[in-house]
Amino acid sequence: MPHVEILFRNALIFDGSGKKPIKGNVGVSDDRITFVQPNKKKNQVSSEMEFDLEGLALAPGFIDAHTHDDYAVFDTHKIYPKLTQGVTTIVAGNCGISLPPLDLNGTIPVPPMNLLGDSGIYRFPSMKSYRDALVKNHHAVNMVYLIGHSALRIKVMKDINRVATSDETIMMHNLLAQALDEGASGLSTGLFYPPNKAANENEVIGVASAMRNKRGIYTTHMRDEGDDVLKSIEESVSTASKAGVPLLISHHKCTGQQNWGKTRETLKVLEGNSNAPPLNFDVYPYTAGSTVLHEDQVSEETRIMVTWSQSHPERTGQELSKIAEEWGVSCKEAAVRLKPAGAIYFQMHEEDVRRLLKSDIAIIGSDGIPEDEHPHPRLWGTFPRIIGHYARDLGLLSMTEAIHKMTGLPAQVFGLRWRGKIAPNYFADLVIFDPDLIIDKADYQNPKLPSEGINSVWVNGRETLKAEKIVNADAGYFLKADFAG
Ligand code: ZN
Ligand code: CU
């Protein structure tokens, strides 16, 4: 009689591959899944621990393809919003912003580098030093890391307001190559943001080419997500193909009323790009974005909410227009006075969000900002919102498809071998949830509410979240993209 450590019985199994769920049993020993058995086969199995999951669903743990949890991951409580959504793997180092390879000697980083936290956090001069510190500290979820182009620029350039010289580009290329050797999985750019803006396509190609020959993935917060979104997509595709690397467009959206509906055109380009290298985008299920507050992004027609403010902390959670009215100034002037600060921008259209969520090349990334006082609700709600609200309640896509975009597909996009699927030999990253109850609770007014319907979360075969409580804080592994096989 076969023996396993843990046996899950009678579960509705979504295996992550995009195939319809089956009713059955799953066995786990050590950190791996050992067998999957449909209920109609009645083989005897012995186990040390058994869970009857009648009425519940079992899926691979969700992969949050876009996070800013670089520093938060050191503190398990800051990862709680992710665990309560069923997330077992996070990708950090996005939007050009990464901790390594920067040592800022305790100084406060320039925006948007300060999204990750305050002074003192940029103290990892290499990927190796960051990885070692994290492994030593232990972490609750699996970690995939990208190196930010802005971090590289701040490291090697005296003046980041110009394009890099060829020497500087070579230095960044070599730093990225070294980071890849030390565990990084790719490069991210944030060409929209000041520290990265002055880089032209050639500079990015020069740096990204360190990932040629299947060494990493290129992710980009594009130069423009509004009027010039199509031009930015063209630039991103051209950069990736010239560098010879797979491309992931970050938090794809079309911002500004005049651009609503444009996802029809962007999807035509993105989905039609069948030539290698591979192309995907990540998306979150909300019509508002969130980043640092900047007066250039303030316009009268966009509703804006303050997520934190260093100069006026008492204004956190308030609407910018209301603050401006009280102060008797313009919204732009109010933004200047609130800085340094963060904000939620209500700038997308629901139809565009839905069109993107349905795309076959879409994967799910929360883009949550864990350090914000009054964060965008995507930090707490993204995954259950897609499964509960968009799949079950609205029928926009099937639960099977939704789960595939959070598991099997992102595992493939990031070259995460033996992850994202419920099958023999795969790592036992698992989430157990009630398909009738799963739903997000966080909203713009009350953004820090855990989702409902998540029963338990397992990371590498260890129960990590149980009845909304963290029961293990150290089951996560540091993962590295492997595109070779
Ligand atoms: Zn971004
Ligand atoms: Cu981001």
Side-chain angles (χ1 to χ4, degrees), residues 140-169:
V141 292
N142 301 310
M143 181 75 167
V144 178
Y145 207 75
L146 309 167
I147 293 293
H149 192 184
S150 290
L152 293 172
R153 297 187 105 235
I154 292 168
K155 175 136 176 152
V156 310
M157 297 173 71
K158 278 209 181 73
D159 175 12
I160 51 173
N161 298 310
R162 56 163 175 79
V163 80
T165 64
S166 58
D167 280 354
E168 288 163 341
T169 304

Side-chain angles (χ1 to χ4, degrees), residues 84-133:
T84 51
Q85 294 178 67
V87 169
T88 57
T89 297
I90 55 176
V91 181
N94 279 291
C95 301
I97 308 161
S98 66
L99 291 174
L102 266 187
D103 188 349
L104 295 179
N105 285 316
T107 56
I108 295 175
V110 295
M113 309 299 281
N114 56 351
L115 274 186
L116 302 182
D118 235 326
S119 54
I121 64 165
Y122 283 87
R123 51 179 159 78
F124 304 100
S126 66
M127 182 66 218
K128 185 177 182 306
S129 62
Y130 174 77
R131 183 189 166 151
D132 287 351

Side-chain angles (χ1 to χ4, degrees), residues 66-68 94-95 97 115 193 221 250-251 290 367 378:
H66 189 115
T67 82
H68 294 285
N94 279 291
C95 301
I97 308 161
L115 274 186
Y193 293 115
H221 177 155
S250 298
H251 43 60
S290 181
D367 201 8
R378 63 192 184 186

Side-chain angles (χ1 to χ4, degrees), residues 418-432:
W418 306 109
R419 301 273 169 191
K421 228 171 125 175
I422 296 185
N425 290 325
Y426 276 72
F427 285 95
D429 294 337
L430 299 165
V431 52
I432 296 164

Side-chain angles (χ1 to χ4, degrees), residues 431-452:
V431 52
I432 296 164
F433 65 92
D434 187 326
D436 296 328
L437 296 182
I438 187 170
I439 198 70
D440 60 307
K441 284 285 156 190
D443 60 22
Y444 295 102
Q445 273 65 45
N446 293 296
K448 294 181 176 178
L449 295 177
S451 301
E452 283 179 0

